[in-house]
Amino acid sequence: RFAPSPTGVLHLGSIRTALFCWLYARHHDGAFVLRIEDTDRERSTEENVQAIFDGLDWLGLAADEGPFFQTRRFDRYREVVDRWLDEGRAYHCYCTKGEVDELRARQLTRGAKVGDEGRCRDRREPREGVEPVVRFRNPIDGKVVVNDQVRGTVVFDNAQLDDLIIARSDGSPTYNFTVVVDDFDM
């Protein structure tokens, strides 16, 4: 799959990725899938989407599937967020931006790891006047082991990982969340 973000013009790095994906798909009798990762509503533009299409056309890299636009899959992302909330895999976080900024400043002053400390992990009641974000409930203990074809075995200590935001306070999904759902679905 080739999944550019339309937040700027198609650049050399994107062209390299598209060419690699297209060649890989052709070599393995696969499909070259085009997905437009346009969840950054402030920076994504129709002009940049068109530049992606024009660049791929000029290169002769026709998509076999797509384009799939992430903004048209919001119902799917909401479904997964709701399911994860129901299953306890995610939770509402009611920390304000000011509180998060203050926490990060304290962490930087102490030289500690910067990130969410999970204050709202076990919160059961809403906080009046605060529209919550939704965070992924990352395991606290253990390790994640990935067998990477380039780097070999890569180990991540869960204690060092953050409870990432998967949906903003306005309900819109974040990039890190949508790409995982899309890659799983596609």
Side-chain angles (χ1 to χ4, degrees):
R1 66 137 169 93
F2 175 55
S5 176
T7 56
V9 296
L10 194 63
H11 56 79
L12 188 56
S14 294
I15 291 169
R16 179 215 167 270
T17 300
L19 183 58
F20 175 83
C21 293
W22 185 86
L23 288 169
Y24 189 87
R26 293 299 174 264
H27 178 75
H28 293 285
D29 295 321
F32 179 57
V33 179
L34 176 60
R35 183 171 74 215
I36 304 296
E37 297 187 341
D38 58 345
T39 58
D40 185 341
R41 293 177 173 178
E42 293 177 11
R43 298 185 318 141
S44 296
T45 67
E46 286 300 318
E47 179 180 272
N48 290 332
V49 170
Q50 191 58 51
I52 291 166
F53 294 156
D54 292 345
L56 291 175
D57 187 52
W58 181 80
L59 291 164
L61 304 179
D64 301 311
E65 297 178 23
F68 299 102
F69 289 83
Q70 288 183 322
T71 52
R72 296 181 190 160
R73 292 178 42 82
F74 276 17
D75 288 343
R76 171 64 176 143
Y77 307 134
R78 177 86 260 157
E79 172 189 320
V80 175
V81 166
D82 289 344
R83 187 177 75 224
W84 286 7
L85 284 166
D86 290 343
E87 295 172 350
R89 295 179 186 197
Y91 62 93
H92 289 105
C93 178
Y94 291 90
C95 296
T96 65
K97 181 177 178 347
E99 290 168 334
V100 171
D101 291 344
E102 185 180 303
L103 170 66
R104 291 194 173 149
R106 282 195 318 268
Q107 290 168 333
L108 286 170
T109 300
R110 292 190 328 250
K113 176 188 85 146
V114 175
D116 178 63
E117 292 180 338
R119 283 193 226 175
C120 296
R121 279 183 86 119
D122 299 316
R123 184 183 191 102
R124 299 290 175 244
E125 298 297 319
R127 184 173 173 191
E128 183 135 353
V130 177
E131 289 297 322
V133 299
V134 177
R135 289 185 179 274
F136 172 70
R137 186 185 303 272
N138 194 68
I140 295 172
D141 299 319
K143 300 180 184 319
V144 174
V145 179
V146 177
N147 294 313
D148 186 276
Q149 290 182 346
V150 176
R151 297 180 64 204
T153 300
V154 182
V155 179
F156 300 93
D157 184 355
N158 285 333
Q160 297 298 313
L161 301 177
D162 214 2
D163 284 352
L164 297 174
I165 295 173
I166 60 173
R168 298 174 185 90
S169 60
D170 67 1
S172 64
T174 60
Y175 168 80
N176 289 328
F177 173 67
T178 58
V179 297
V180 171
V181 173
D182 288 343
D183 284 349
F184 179 80
D185 287 352
M186 296 178 183

